[in-house]
Amino acid sequence: MRFRRVPLNDVDWAELDRFADRTHAQRLPWLNYLTAIGAGQPLVALLEDEGKTIGCFTAMRGKRLGLPVLGSPIPGWNTGYMGLNLAPEAPRADALHALSRFAFRDQGCAYLELSDPMADFDSAAAAGYSTVKISGFASDLTLSEDALFARMASATRRCIRKAEREGVTVEEAAPEGFAAEFHAQLVEVFARQGLMPTYSRERVEKLIEHVHPSGSLLLLRARAPGGESIATGIFAGFGRYSTFWGNGSVTDMLHLRPNQALHWHAMRYWKARGVHLHDWGGTGDYKKNYGPDEYRYIRQYRSALPWLDQVRGPALKSYKKLRAWRSRRLAEQQAAAE
């Protein structure tokens, strides 16, 4: 069993999309987006066993600390599951062993990190990977709409009904000008916490430019009865999985409950397209109000250099602190300029 890298021009993308555990972030449009934001260069490798393809690995090859790495994904990319796609008969621990050999021996990388929907602790440990537990929320979209609605907190159900009574409408938005509109409303969301967004309008523009034409990106806009835009949301999905990417809103219009209307529309949209699991993109107390299940998924990582495993945790904490400091600093500068 071994992985074989395939030139991007030779990848049969339609064939890979047939894997049941395929996600939007493993498809070419999302890889092009990650390239555009400087994450690295796309890499696709097929897992072969006795002449038969039984899996696939999708990643970005880049550099961290000056060393070559494979990220699938790396924290900070605003990207959900990537990692492995495996046929039912493919042993996950064996695939992870083969992936280590591919990353370190064949590709000359010093560090490998991945996370995919089917990852489990036992397989990762058997293959010699370190793991980090990540908490999150996800809604089971195989339930009926009535059941999904009933699982929500009563206050959230009232908010959705109020938005409808007040004349709030939700529409699937065109991409033109959406990034600027979304980011301006996102600034308002962060301002309510004395912060600034952790990503730029340009990143949103690149996301929409590369991914929206593929059908894997849903852009939503909530309008007040007078027609003005009062909230926007971005949701990504493909196959069995969808995810909440980001949401902006106008502070003075929150009493109309546009955010709740947006999320309910998104859940029904992806359900109608056959999605099984809607990931809420991490934790956050307000997400519990939509009735999801809490779950734990794992990031798996391994290094060709033992000291890299030891610095990963502190480096990630430093990155998060720096990002929070930059956000606060931008907010202070914005306030001083007003």
Side-chain angles (χ1 to χ4, degrees), residues 5-337:
R5 185 172 182 176
V6 181
L8 289 186
N9 291 336
D10 295 337
V11 173
D12 187 340
W13 297 101
E15 183 65 27
L16 296 186
D17 284 349
R18 292 190 179 95
F19 278 104
D21 53 356
R22 192 80 167 155
T23 75
H24 63 271
Q26 295 168 317
R27 306 181 77 204
L28 182 59
W30 199 277
L31 300 182
N32 289 336
Y33 154 66
L34 291 178
T35 301
I37 66 171
Q41 295 299 315
L43 179 149
V44 175
L46 299 181
L47 178 61
E48 299 174 333
D49 187 32
E50 297 182 353
K52 181 182 177 182
T53 297
I54 60 172
C56 172
F57 175 65
T58 307
M60 300 295 290
R61 193 180 195 280
K63 285 193 173 182
R64 293 292 185 276
L65 302 175
L67 298 171
V69 302
L70 282 181
S72 186
I74 292 286
W77 290 355
N78 299 101
T79 294
Y81 291 125
M82 292 176 71
L84 293 168
N85 297 127
L86 294 177
E89 69 272 18
R92 181 165 292 269
D94 292 349
L96 288 169
H97 271 299
L99 183 59
S100 298
R101 294 193 298 270
F102 171 78
F104 303 143
R105 185 186 65 191
D106 299 347
Q107 296 301 309
C109 289
Y111 180 78
L112 166 66
E113 181 163 340
L114 70 154
S115 181
D116 59 75
M118 305 304 293
D120 67 89
F121 291 105
D122 290 343
S123 296
Y129 286 69
S130 299
T131 57
V132 177
K133 299 177 183 179
I134 308 292
S135 297
F137 297 110
S139 294
D140 179 2
L141 298 190
T142 64
L143 299 174
S144 68
E145 286 192 11
D146 288 344
L148 285 169
F149 195 73
R151 293 188 67 171
M152 295 182 187
S154 58
T156 302
R157 296 197 299 270
R158 289 195 298 271
C159 287
I160 293 171
R161 293 187 181 111
K162 178 178 180 179
E164 184 176 358
R165 286 197 309 271
E166 295 285 351
V168 172
T169 56
V170 177
E171 64 188 30
E172 294 164 26
E176 292 77 17
F178 188 86
E181 177 185 350
F182 169 85
H183 200 265
Q185 294 179 358
L186 187 70
V187 169
E188 289 203 38
V189 173
F190 276 77
R192 295 196 286 268
Q193 307 168 62
L195 300 171
M196 285 289 285
T198 54
Y199 52 86
S200 67
R201 185 186 73 186
E202 289 71 24
R203 176 173 286 204
V204 184
E205 290 171 342
K206 292 182 186 302
L207 174 70
I208 294 173
E209 173 190 353
H210 291 287
V211 183
H212 187 266
S214 72
S216 289
L217 202 67
L218 173 64
L219 310 178
L220 291 183
R221 175 188 295 114
R223 292 191 185 274
E228 63 271 34
S229 172
I230 57 175
T232 49
I234 299 177
F235 306 83
F238 177 78
R240 295 183 179 180
Y241 306 98
S242 62
T243 188
F244 167 43
W245 195 84
N247 175 208
S249 55
V250 175
T251 303
D252 293 342
M253 292 294 183
L254 290 178
H255 65 282
L256 295 177
R257 309 306 185 194
N259 290 331
Q260 290 84 354
L262 277 179
H263 283 295
W264 181 224
H265 187 105
M267 291 169 70
R268 289 180 292 166
Y269 175 94
W270 290 117
K271 174 179 172 57
R273 283 152 182 79
V275 166
H276 291 188
L277 201 68
H278 181 66
D279 195 308
W280 287 84
T283 54
D285 285 343
Y286 77 92
K287 297 174 182 178
K288 297 178 183 178
N289 295 328
Y290 293 90
D293 297 310
E294 187 170 4
Y295 70 98
R296 294 286 182 93
Y297 68 95
I298 62 173
R299 288 187 176 274
Q300 305 155 95
Y301 62 97
R302 192 171 181 182
S303 172
L305 305 170
W307 61 269
L308 274 180
D309 286 349
Q310 298 172 8
V311 303
R312 180 198 183 275
L316 184 56
K317 289 180 181 178
S318 297
Y319 163 75
K320 291 180 177 179
K321 289 180 180 178
L322 178 61
R323 187 174 66 173
W325 176 84
R326 285 175 174 170
S327 182
R328 289 193 297 270
R329 181 59 176 159
L330 284 170
E332 292 168 358
Q333 292 172 346
Q334 179 88 7

